Amino acid sequence: MNKRVALVLGSGGARGYAHIGVIEEIEKRGYDIACIAGCSMGAVVGGIYAAGKLEAYRNWIESLDYLDVLRLVDVSFRLGAIRGEKVFGQIRKIVGEINIEDLRIPYTAVATDLTNQQEIWFQEGCLHQAMRASAAIPSLFTPVMQGNRMLVDGGLLNPLPIVPVVSSHCDLIIAVNLNSTNQKHYTLPVIQRPPAFRSRFDNLVRSLGSHLPFRRKQAEQLLMLEQEALLAQAADINPWLDSAEPEAQQPAAAPEKAGAPKSATGSFIIDNVGPASLLDLINQSFEVMQTSLAQYKIAGYPPDILINVPKRVCRFFEFYKAPELIALGREIASDTLDRYESEQH
């Protein structure tokens, strides 16, 4: 009989695509995913999986190039840089209208209620609203209003929601932590992309951050003009040209220098790696908080298997890297499950 798994999928922005590779590896080895809990992107991927639509979702995100991702950016400065209607509208088309209680396995999405300052578990009701609320990353996606409650990303309070599955009576609890800091030997696979076009996308993200302090109407109009100009410039570019130079690997850590500052753990702090914009600053601060909270959750309720995805493999908002991140998730899950299974024999 196959072992029944309670799967916990953590938050971490674009790194959440790695959850898809993890799920594929778990199923490939014959484990039975019997229930699932997720936060932010973990709630999105977990909800889509529970609805039986993960393959369709994967086909969509792997088909997106830079230009497609740019078209999905619906600029807003009403408590978030992006409304998210285009992205979640497409997810709604893929999944359809379904309630959580009608999913094929038990499912929990975790969000944060800012009004009452508490953690919220979605275990019934509209799946789409649960995923949207759980993934309302502060500063990036606008919050979800539900009655008098303002709901945002569950990662503010619980980036790795292990507690909802503790009582599931499954054989194993497998948790996927997207905020690991000690897995430096893993790097993203490299696929060919035109660097010049990538820089244009990055410029738009920097613009989102740099205009956050401006008056909403003025900033929104300016960014919409910038987005239209970028789309017009990119219209004749094929993002998958074979002649394009491969995207550069992330630079290796700088050699240790005499007198270089160290962190509390003794590791050297690298110069010139600060945030490039206010949006980047907020997201980096959010990630630091999530990393610390995830460690507390793991210590309080240690899962049977912990799959650690390094936070440095990509930036929080690099949602155009789905193919690489899915492959990386599969690789890390394979290595982790190999170690676990070898210890069982």
Side-chain angles (χ1 to χ4, degrees):
M1 181 178 177
N2 295 338
K3 287 190 175 181
R4 299 174 71 251
V5 167
L7 185 60
V8 180
L9 303 179
S11 64
R15 291 189 301 278
Y17 287 142
H19 289 318
I20 298 174
V22 171
I23 289 172
E24 291 176 350
E25 185 64 26
I26 289 173
E27 290 192 323
K28 175 184 173 184
R29 292 176 181 244
Y31 294 97
D32 178 22
I33 298 175
C35 73
I36 200 160
C39 176
S40 195
M41 271 295 286
V44 173
V45 172
I48 294 170
Y49 171 79
K53 301 294 184 178
L54 192 59
E55 183 177 358
Y57 176 69
R58 175 184 173 165
N59 291 339
W60 174 58
I61 60 174
E62 286 196 323
S63 72
L64 299 177
D65 57 35
Y66 293 114
L67 189 56
D68 295 323
V69 173
L70 187 58
R71 289 194 179 105
L72 291 170
V73 177
D74 44 2
V75 177
S76 170
F77 285 90
R78 293 169 178 82
L79 302 179
I82 299 171
R83 285 189 293 272
E85 292 174 4
K86 292 182 180 179
V87 173
F88 285 95
Q90 183 63 37
I91 292 174
R92 187 190 289 270
K93 289 180 182 178
I94 293 171
V95 175
E97 299 294 337
I98 186 171
N99 286 335
I100 294 172
E101 55 268 34
D102 297 325
L103 296 173
R104 56 196 179 97
I105 58 174
Y107 165 82
T108 303
V110 175
T112 299
D113 177 1
L114 285 183
T115 306
N116 299 299
Q117 301 181 12
Q118 62 184 9
E119 184 177 324
I120 299 294
W121 292 4
F122 285 93
Q123 295 180 318
E124 59 183 18
C126 176
L127 173 64
H128 181 81
Q129 186 178 50
M131 294 190 296
R132 177 64 180 84
S134 183
I137 302 168
S139 80
L140 191 60
F141 288 108
T142 53
V144 171
M145 300 304 300
Q146 188 182 72
N148 64 346
R149 301 191 302 185
M150 178 180 287
L151 304 178
V152 297
D153 196 304
L156 280 173
L157 294 176
N158 193 352
L160 195 63
I162 300 173
V163 176
V165 304
V166 169
S167 62
S168 64
H169 305 296
C170 289
D171 300 308
L172 293 171
I173 295 177
I174 300 179
V176 186
N177 175 26
L178 300 179
N179 294 286
S180 173
T181 58
N182 60 352
Q183 304 289 316
K184 296 180 181 178
H185 61 287
Y186 286 110
T187 58
L188 282 183
V190 177
I191 66 172
Q192 292 186 335
R193 301 178 189 272
F197 193 86
R198 183 189 64 177
S199 68
R200 292 175 187 152
F201 181 90
D202 291 343
N203 286 338
L204 178 68
V205 173
R206 279 194 292 272
S207 295
L208 284 170
S210 63
H211 291 315
L212 276 176
F214 289 7
R215 285 180 5 192
R216 287 178 183 171
K217 192 71 174 176
Q218 188 179 28
E220 191 167 338
Q221 290 174 345
L222 180 58
L223 275 168
M224 287 181 68
L225 289 173
E226 289 180 359
Q227 184 182 23
E228 289 171 2
L230 184 52
L231 286 168
Q233 291 173 12
D236 296 328
I237 296 177
N238 180 354
W240 306 104
L241 287 174
D242 293 335
S243 60
E245 296 179 10
E247 181 177 333
Q249 285 273 20
Q250 292 194 7
E256 297 179 2
K257 296 183 291 185
K262 289 184 177 182
S263 70
T265 59
S267 59
F268 282 84
I269 299 173
I270 302 171
D271 295 328
N272 301 321
V273 291
S277 67
L278 179 57
L279 181 61
D280 209 14
L281 172 64
I282 295 171
N283 284 333
Q284 285 190 27
S285 301
F286 187 45
E287 289 207 289
V288 168
M289 179 192 66
Q290 286 190 113
T291 300
S292 180
L293 282 173
Q295 291 172 353
Y296 281 111
K297 298 299 180 183
I298 293 166
Y301 293 90
D304 298 292
I305 301 174
L306 178 62
I307 298 174
N308 281 313
V309 177
K311 64 190 288 186
R312 287 185 176 271
V313 295
C314 79
R315 290 176 295 175
F316 202 74
F317 48 77
E318 292 182 313
F319 289 96
Y320 50 83
K321 291 187 174 181
E324 296 98 325
L325 287 160
I326 292 171
L328 180 67
R330 191 184 307 113
E331 177 188 357
I332 297 175
S334 177
D335 291 345
T336 305
L337 291 171
D338 280 346
R339 289 193 295 271
Y340 169 78
E341 291 170 358
S342 66
E343 292 170 358
Q344 303 305 304
H345 296 295

